[in-house]
Amino acid sequence: MDGVGRQWTAAVPVTPRRQWLRIFLGGLGLWLATVGAIFLTGNPTLLPTLVLLGSFLVPVTFVAWAFQRRDTGEVTVSLVFGTFLAGGVLGVLASAVLESYLLRPSVLLFLGVGLIEEAAKLAALALLTRHLAAKTVRDGMILGAAVGFGFSALESAGYAFIALFTVQGLSVVQVVQTEILRGLVAPVGHGLWTAILGGVLFSASSRDHFVVGIRLLFAYLGVALLHALWDAMHVIALFLTLFLTGTRDNRVSLDGSLGEPTPTQGALMPALEGLGMAIVAVIGVVWLVALWLSAQHGSGRPSSGLRVPTGSPSRETVLRP
């Protein structure tokens, strides 16, 4: 209160509605500037900047976009940032260890990868969000997307780093190509799949318990199947191409490509692969949208299933003076 009786109140910071767009455009500009600087100077110390900017740009943008659609005040910037980084790291580490010990080359390899990676991300999400008092479907989707995009960003950085090394030496062109490709498909990959799992997990859960029921099990298996189909699409397209146009003279190289393909095969195989990935992406997006709309209509919380304690203080304990 000042001398003339006017009352002053602290301004509440408001997040700009288009903050995600500013993040994307600013990050894209920095990434393009880094690419130009590397080609102009040939300075290898800029390569980590190139890898990190390119790998994290799209995931961070989508997490910022999702954050502005949160349901409760419990989903803060620090929580989203923490689930993005910690969830991504925990998911990547757990997947790497489990895959190295449990998987062997077989026809079920891709399904095994999908089951392990989706389980690792779901476990990381549950661990990092167990103390939330209100668990809504929308917040579960947002925090699930944060974990999934964190996983995607770290995985993309690994692929970009591997692409850097070739027989001819360091290849900046391959890094750029890898980051562009993975950036384009990132929105319909790990972030999408874990967002679905997060929404289903939170839909039946409360402050005190996560409920692991039939609905979550089917969601997990469905998402793992989408993941497996996405990873296996190159192989599926290869066999479809051989089935439709193949001859006895066709040979498959060690990298999964056709040796001396005909012009028809050279055009058909990438078309089939792209079509298959598009179908998998559409299924995932439709599933996510349906889950989002069901949350807006306030569908009831199913209570059947295994109740896993979160370790949070009970409501009675919190309200006790």
Side-chain angles (χ1 to χ4, degrees):
M1 187 81 67
D2 64 8
V4 293
R6 282 184 294 183
Q7 187 174 358
W8 298 92
T9 58
V12 178
V14 178
T15 304
R17 295 185 61 183
R18 299 290 183 176
Q19 184 66 36
W20 64 270
L21 183 59
R22 298 181 184 183
I23 291 173
F24 176 74
L25 294 178
L28 180 61
L30 292 174
W31 182 76
L32 291 173
T34 304
V35 172
I38 290 176
F39 280 109
L40 285 174
T41 66
N43 187 346
T45 61
L46 295 176
L47 291 174
T49 304
L50 176 67
V51 169
L52 292 176
L53 278 175
S55 301
F56 280 77
L57 175 58
V58 173
V60 169
T61 298
F62 267 83
V63 169
W65 175 82
F67 172 74
Q68 294 183 320
R69 286 150 181 82
R70 63 196 185 279
D71 222 10
T72 67
E74 284 191 282
V75 180
T76 61
V77 173
S78 60
L79 177 61
V80 173
F81 184 71
T83 53
F84 178 85
L85 287 181
V89 171
L90 289 173
V92 167
L93 292 180
S95 298
V97 172
L98 292 174
E99 288 171 4
S100 65
Y101 281 98
L102 299 179
L103 297 183
R104 297 294 181 270
S106 70
V107 294
L108 298 177
L109 176 64
F110 293 112
L111 181 59
V113 170
L115 290 170
I116 288 174
E117 292 188 359
E118 295 310 320
K121 291 184 291 178
L122 179 60
L125 172 64
L127 175 66
L128 295 169
T129 61
R130 66 192 187 280
H131 294 311
L132 288 179
K135 295 181 175 68
T136 68
V137 174
R138 183 180 297 182
D139 286 352
M141 294 167 69
I142 292 170
L143 294 171
V147 172
F149 277 119
F151 187 103
S152 176
L154 294 170
E155 187 179 63
S156 295
Y159 280 113
F161 183 76
I162 292 172
L164 179 62
F165 300 96
T166 66
V167 177
Q168 294 77 24
L170 300 181
S171 175
V172 178
V173 173
Q174 285 201 169
V175 173
V176 172
Q177 291 175 342
T178 300
E179 293 194 324
I180 291 175
L181 177 61
R182 291 192 64 85
L184 290 174
V185 301
V188 291
H190 286 290
L192 172 65
W193 301 325
T194 318
I196 293 172
L197 286 181
V200 175
L201 174 66
F202 276 35
S203 70
S205 300
S206 64
R207 173 198 294 268
D208 305 318
H209 296 90
F210 283 118
V211 177
V212 181
I214 295 298
R215 187 184 178 203
L216 180 62
L217 176 61
F218 278 125
Y220 163 65
L221 293 176
V223 164
L225 180 59
L226 291 179
H227 188 155
L229 289 173
W230 182 275
D231 289 347
M233 199 54 65
H234 180 78
V235 176
I236 294 173
L238 171 63
F239 281 103
L240 284 176
T241 300
L242 289 175
F243 176 77
L244 294 172
T245 65
T247 65
R248 294 181 180 179
D249 298 330
N250 281 127
R251 294 181 180 180
V252 180
S253 62
L254 293 177
D255 63 355
S257 60
L258 282 175
E260 300 181 0
T262 65
T264 301
Q265 290 173 334
L268 181 61
M269 184 173 171
L272 289 174
E273 184 177 1
L275 176 62
M277 295 176 73
I279 292 173
V280 172
V282 168
I283 293 173
V285 170
V286 170
W287 189 355
L288 186 76
V289 171
L291 187 60
W292 184 277
L293 293 178
S294 69
Q296 288 184 328
H297 287 85
S299 57
R301 287 172 174 262
S303 57
S304 61
L306 177 65
R307 300 175 71 84
V308 181
T310 62
S312 299
S314 65
R315 184 168 301 179
E316 290 78 6
T317 302
V318 172
L319 296 178
R320 186 180 301 164

